[in-house]
Amino acid sequence: MSDYIPSVVQVIPYEDYTVDVYFDDGKIVCYHAKTDMSPKLFEKICGKDVFMNQCTVLNGTLAWDVAGGRNASACIDIDPFVLYALKRSKERIA
């Protein structure tokens, strides 16, 4: 078993409700927020403005700072181990 603890270093949201997630070891995955989140949780970020502009890296993982202020207890975040388990994807930016 590996001792690696995944840490997200960059996220890039797209208007189709996907996010490219970059890890500190170079792995890139594509997170499909619309299909991977529960409907109730997704409801809080489904507005394109919130999804695109509040998407951030907080405490080493993908998060949406829905309340502002970068308060980890008021954010929607995704477990970095869940993200890291996703299939590796290619970088979409040029």
Side-chain angles (χ1 to χ4, degrees), residues 11-19 45-56 63-65:
V11 294
I12 301 174
Y14 294 91
E15 290 190 359
D16 65 352
Y17 295 104
T18 61
V19 181
I45 62 166
C46 70
K48 285 219 196 263
D49 185 55
V50 172
F51 183 83
M52 297 292 293
N53 296 319
Q54 302 304 105
C55 186
T56 189
W64 283 270
D65 187 11

Side-chain angles (χ1 to χ4, degrees), residues 32-72:
H32 297 265
K34 194 172 196 173
T35 56
D36 292 345
M37 282 186 171
S38 72
K40 187 171 183 167
L41 192 58
F42 181 73
E43 192 174 277
K44 296 179 180 182
I45 62 166
C46 70
K48 285 219 196 263
D49 185 55
V50 172
F51 183 83
M52 297 292 293
N53 296 319
Q54 302 304 105
C55 186
T56 189
V57 175
L58 189 62
N59 294 331
T61 196
L62 167 63
W64 283 270
D65 187 11
V66 292
R70 298 187 60 81
N71 178 350

